Amino acid sequence: MKNSNQTKQDTFQKQLKTFEKLLIGAKMAKLSSFILIGVSIGLAIRYRENNLYVMLLLMGILAIVFFIDKFLSLKDIKQKSYTQTSLVSSISKFKTYMNNRKKYEMYFIAFWVLTLIPSASIHFDSNVSGILSISAYISFVGVFGYISYKKTEKEIASLESTMAYELQLQ
């Protein structure tokens, strides 16, 4: 009986560790959004003499701030400590969080990129290779993001299945 209890505890610890990694990934998404805001602020300062560019960059900043507030908040998910039941609930909330984030993230990021185009085209002197480099980078980030979402979805599904199995055993 003690061995079974120890196995359950080890399984729970693995599940908790996996879930905490997912939370760290979500925090990194929030950090990267703040970096996007920093880029826009830097460009707004650089092109402060051109009101149109500054207004566009500020609109991009507002869009990212709204996205952070509405879709990157972990306050309902994160807890100081977890039990088996609270972990199941948190995983369910995290799955909903990821679905909402996945649904809207591309729209907000695309809008932000659109607000950068005028200042980026001046920065690169409308140089085709510079603009293509930026486009390739954005495409790379998009593909990497898609792969990350797929990996996260698999990890959530794996956590849900092991949690359901553990609850059936009880």
Side-chain angles (χ1 to χ4, degrees), residues 17-99:
K17 192 175 234 180
T18 301
F19 183 67
E20 287 174 345
K21 285 181 188 176
L22 293 173
L23 289 176
I24 289 170
K27 289 177 189 176
M28 295 302 291
K30 195 175 209 176
L31 174 65
S32 67
S33 294
F34 283 116
I35 291 170
L36 298 180
I37 290 171
V39 167
S40 289
I41 289 172
L43 288 171
I45 291 170
R46 181 174 181 164
Y47 296 108
R48 65 183 169 269
E49 67 279 348
N50 190 325
N51 290 336
L52 176 63
Y53 292 173
V54 171
M55 292 304 289
L56 285 171
L57 291 165
L58 290 176
M59 287 172 50
I61 290 169
L62 288 174
I64 298 296
V65 167
F66 179 80
F67 177 71
I68 289 169
D69 183 53
K70 284 291 192 189
F71 300 107
L72 293 181
S73 174
L74 295 171
K75 65 182 173 191
D76 294 336
I77 300 170
K78 232 169 83 171
Q79 298 179 3
K80 291 185 187 221
S81 63
Y82 292 95
T83 63
Q84 188 81 19
T85 309
S86 69
L87 184 59
V88 170
S89 173
S90 291
I91 290 170
S92 176
K93 288 177 186 177
F94 188 78
K95 184 177 180 180
T96 302
Y97 157 86
M98 286 302 295
N99 288 337

Side-chain angles (χ1 to χ4, degrees), residues 101 105 139-152:
R101 190 175 128 198
E105 185 169 36
S139 298
F140 171 76
V141 169
V143 168
F144 181 71
Y146 176 78
I147 292 169
S148 295
Y149 275 119
K150 287 297 178 189
K151 182 179 178 192
T152 301

Side-chain angles (χ1 to χ4, degrees), residues 106 109 112-113 116 132-143:
M106 202 58 165
I109 299 301
W112 177 78
V113 168
L116 292 180
L132 287 175
S133 298
I134 296 260
S135 299
Y137 174 75
I138 291 170
S139 298
F140 171 76
V141 169
V143 168

